[in-house]
Amino acid sequence: MSFGDEHGYGGDSGRKDDGFGGSGQTRTRLPDARGTDPYGGGPRRPGRSSRSLVTVVGVVVLLIAAIAFVNRGGGGDTAGDTTKGASGAGADPTAATGVKPVTGKNGTIPSGFARNEQGAASAAANYAVVLGSDGMFHQDSRHTVVDSVYTPEAAARLKGPQDQAYSPEFLRKLGLDADGNPPQGSDFISRTIPVGTKVESLAGDTAKVSVWYTGLLGMSGPDSTDPVSTTWKTWTFELSWTGDDWKIATDAQKNGPAPVPGDVAASTADEISKAVEQYGGFTYAR
């Protein structure tokens, strides 16, 4: 599995809420309003509003995620002028600005975001993707992600506790082996899909950006008892201009806003696995 490459991301330095965990071939999960397990299991457990499905990221967030998941039952110009303040905290327009997307990459992770509102919003969206990827469940790729998207201070503070949190026991409860790999014939899916961004503030070398996203998480396979389902969250990043790019100083998540579930029937495990492999994620830029 890979991460970045216009696909997914997970980590946190100061979170107070819960998180999530994807990759270039990001992985996923969808809720079944009908009450049955679409992947072949028995009747599905009731909704898990209190067992929040998470994007595993930092220490606190990751631990909350572990408990929630298991207990639920299973282009930019980097040298541009600094904008002195965001024009209110309104939602960013969905229409493209015409500015070319970032072309730089730190490994497979987008980098080189503009030092303005557009760049901060794009950085936050892309960082949410990589921090929500299945790469976060493998130690080497997790360290690469954390070193790439966090400030050096935040990254140094996170990696050790994260390694302890992603213990073999934690991974086993997710259906993964000690190295974060799914059983043969199954796909572990974790993907974050930003729906919109909001620049809360921007001044000098700091910015605060919220990303509203839907997440996919679960195991897709014939023997899965935890089919891929969705979650809706808002991820807020405190960004710092560091080394000619935006980096995360701290971040936190909260549930919602969540729309009313649609009436589309859940797909089979095979359809979900193929969709995740055939449809890559995006590099987000306004």
Side-chain angles (χ1 to χ4, degrees), residues 82-102:
T82 301
T83 304
K84 297 188 180 298
S87 54
D92 294 339
T94 55
T97 61
V99 178
K100 292 182 179 180
V102 292

Side-chain angles (χ1 to χ4, degrees), residues 122-262:
S122 182
N126 281 286
Y127 293 165
V129 170
V130 76
L131 290 174
S133 69
D134 56 8
M136 291 299 292
F137 294 84
H138 302 273
Q139 186 180 75
D140 290 345
S141 57
R142 180 171 64 249
H143 286 185
T144 297
V145 167
V146 172
D147 284 334
S148 298
V149 305
Y150 283 88
T151 63
E153 297 78 11
R157 189 168 61 246
L158 281 172
K159 286 187 290 187
Q162 276 188 338
D163 289 345
Q164 294 179 12
Y166 281 97
S167 65
E169 176 64 14
F170 168 68
L171 296 175
R172 183 187 67 76
K173 291 179 179 179
L174 297 179
L176 304 170
D177 64 20
D179 295 320
N181 300 311
Q184 185 173 3
S186 296
D187 292 299
F188 178 67
I189 297 170
S190 179
R191 181 177 291 194
T192 297
I193 308 98
V195 176
T197 60
K198 179 172 66 173
V199 177
E200 308 280 1
S201 63
L202 178 65
D205 292 338
T206 62
K208 182 178 181 180
V209 183
S210 292
V211 180
W212 179 34
Y213 74 89
T214 183
L216 303 168
L217 185 65
M219 190 74 73
S220 178
D223 300 321
S224 174
T225 58
D226 249 331
V228 181
S229 66
T230 58
T231 187
W232 288 87
K233 292 181 180 295
T234 299
W235 206 334
T236 300
F237 297 94
E238 297 278 357
L239 302 175
S240 175
W241 187 256
T242 306
D244 295 327
D245 211 348
W246 291 111
K247 300 292 183 180
I248 305 170
T250 63
D251 56 322
Q253 297 194 56
K254 65 179 182 180
N255 292 328
V260 175

